[in-house]
PDB file of all heavy atoms in Angstrom:
ATOM      1  N   PHE Z 110      94.602 -45.084  21.735  1.00  0.00           N
ATOM      2  CA  PHE Z 110      95.990 -44.680  22.084  1.00  0.00           C
ATOM      3  C   PHE Z 110      96.905 -44.647  20.896  1.00  0.00           C
ATOM      4  O   PHE Z 110      98.112 -44.478  21.040  1.00  0.00           O
ATOM      5  CB  PHE Z 110      96.551 -45.630  23.169  1.00  0.00           C
ATOM      6  CG  PHE Z 110      95.759 -45.605  24.430  1.00  0.00           C
ATOM      7  CD1 PHE Z 110      94.686 -46.484  24.619  1.00  0.00           C
ATOM      8  CD2 PHE Z 110      96.047 -44.716  25.458  1.00  0.00           C
ATOM      9  CE1 PHE Z 110      93.953 -46.494  25.799  1.00  0.00           C
ATOM     10  CE2 PHE Z 110      95.341 -44.708  26.634  1.00  0.00           C
ATOM     11  CZ  PHE Z 110      94.264 -45.600  26.816  1.00  0.00           C
ATOM     12  N   ALA Z 143      92.545 -52.272  31.020  1.00  0.00           N
ATOM     13  CA  ALA Z 143      93.840 -51.946  30.421  1.00  0.00           C
ATOM     14  C   ALA Z 143      93.904 -50.495  29.984  1.00  0.00           C
ATOM     15  O   ALA Z 143      94.899 -49.810  30.172  1.00  0.00           O
ATOM     16  CB  ALA Z 143      94.097 -52.877  29.220  1.00  0.00           C
ATOM     17  N   ALA Z 144      92.773 -50.042  29.400  1.00  0.00           N
ATOM     18  CA  ALA Z 144      92.719 -48.635  28.964  1.00  0.00           C
ATOM     19  C   ALA Z 144      92.799 -47.696  30.168  1.00  0.00           C
ATOM     20  O   ALA Z 144      93.548 -46.695  30.135  1.00  0.00           O
ATOM     21  CB  ALA Z 144      91.448 -48.383  28.195  1.00  0.00           C
ATOM     22  N   ASP Z 145      92.106 -48.042  31.267  1.00  0.00           N
ATOM     23  CA  ASP Z 145      92.149 -47.177  32.461  1.00  0.00           C
ATOM     24  C   ASP Z 145      93.573 -47.133  33.034  1.00  0.00           C
ATOM     25  O   ASP Z 145      94.024 -46.062  33.474  1.00  0.00           O
ATOM     26  CB  ASP Z 145      91.210 -47.762  33.529  1.00  0.00           C
ATOM     27  CG  ASP Z 145      89.728 -47.567  33.166  1.00  0.00           C
ATOM     28  OD1 ASP Z 145      89.456 -46.748  32.239  1.00  0.00           O
ATOM     29  OD2 ASP Z 145      88.882 -48.198  33.807  1.00  0.00           O
ATOM     30  N   ALA Z 146      94.262 -48.253  33.017  1.00  0.00           N
ATOM     31  CA  ALA Z 146      95.607 -48.316  33.542  1.00  0.00           C
ATOM     32  C   ALA Z 146      96.564 -47.439  32.704  1.00  0.00           C
ATOM     33  O   ALA Z 146      97.442 -46.755  33.286  1.00  0.00           O
ATOM     34  CB  ALA Z 146      96.101 -49.756  33.578  1.00  0.00           C
ATOM     35  N   ARG Z 147      96.403 -47.437  31.429  1.00  0.00           N
ATOM     36  CA  ARG Z 147      97.267 -46.635  30.558  1.00  0.00           C
ATOM     37  C   ARG Z 147      97.018 -45.142  30.774  1.00  0.00           C
ATOM     38  O   ARG Z 147      97.935 -44.339  30.781  1.00  0.00           O
ATOM     39  CB  ARG Z 147      97.050 -47.014  29.093  1.00  0.00           C
ATOM     40  CG  ARG Z 147      97.547 -48.408  28.778  1.00  0.00           C
ATOM     41  CD  ARG Z 147      97.205 -48.886  27.397  1.00  0.00           C
ATOM     42  NE  ARG Z 147      97.975 -48.174  26.353  1.00  0.00           N
ATOM     43  CZ  ARG Z 147      97.975 -48.556  25.092  1.00  0.00           C
ATOM     44  NH1 ARG Z 147      97.252 -49.602  24.662  1.00  0.00           N
ATOM     45  NH2 ARG Z 147      98.692 -47.857  24.211  1.00  0.00           N
ATOM     46  N   VAL Z 148      95.756 -44.785  30.981  1.00  0.00           N
ATOM     47  CA  VAL Z 148      95.439 -43.392  31.251  1.00  0.00           C
ATOM     48  C   VAL Z 148      96.007 -42.992  32.606  1.00  0.00           C
ATOM     49  O   VAL Z 148      96.584 -41.889  32.766  1.00  0.00           O
ATOM     50  CB  VAL Z 148      93.906 -43.160  31.229  1.00  0.00           C
ATOM     51  CG1 VAL Z 148      93.560 -41.761  31.738  1.00  0.00           C
ATOM     52  CG2 VAL Z 148      93.361 -43.327  29.813  1.00  0.00           C
ATOM     53  N   ALA Z 149      95.893 -43.881  33.605  1.00  0.00           N
ATOM     54  CA  ALA Z 149      96.425 -43.580  34.944  1.00  0.00           C
ATOM     55  C   ALA Z 149      97.934 -43.426  34.915  1.00  0.00           C
ATOM     56  O   ALA Z 149      98.508 -42.668  35.704  1.00  0.00           O
ATOM     57  CB  ALA Z 149      96.009 -44.693  35.887  1.00  0.00           C
ATOM     58  N   ALA Z 150      98.575 -44.106  33.989  1.00  0.00           N
ATOM     59  CA  ALA Z 150     100.034 -44.005  33.855  1.00  0.00           C
ATOM     60  C   ALA Z 150     100.452 -42.754  33.084  1.00  0.00           C
ATOM     61  O   ALA Z 150     101.672 -42.511  32.878  1.00  0.00           O
ATOM     62  CB  ALA Z 150     100.564 -45.232  33.158  1.00  0.00           C
ATOM     63  N   GLY Z 151      99.491 -41.936  32.693  1.00  0.00           N
ATOM     64  CA  GLY Z 151      99.822 -40.674  32.032  1.00  0.00           C
ATOM     65  C   GLY Z 151      99.796 -40.735  30.504  1.00  0.00           C
ATOM     66  O   GLY Z 151     100.151 -39.751  29.830  1.00  0.00           O
ATOM     67  N   GLU Z 152      99.348 -41.862  29.939  1.00  0.00           N
ATOM     68  CA  GLU Z 152      99.298 -41.971  28.483  1.00  0.00           C
ATOM     69  C   GLU Z 152      98.098 -41.208  27.932  1.00  0.00           C
ATOM     70  O   GLU Z 152      96.999 -41.293  28.473  1.00  0.00           O
ATOM     71  CB  GLU Z 152      99.233 -43.433  28.072  1.00  0.00           C
ATOM     72  CG  GLU Z 152      99.529 -43.669  26.594  1.00  0.00           C
ATOM     73  CD  GLU Z 152      99.686 -45.158  26.279  1.00  0.00           C
ATOM     74  OE1 GLU Z 152      99.772 -45.990  27.206  1.00  0.00           O
ATOM     75  OE2 GLU Z 152      99.713 -45.468  25.069  1.00  0.00           O
TER      76      GLU Z 152
END
Side-chain angles (χ1 to χ4, degrees):
F110 298 90
D145 289 345
R147 292 174 69 170
V148 170
E152 194 170 348

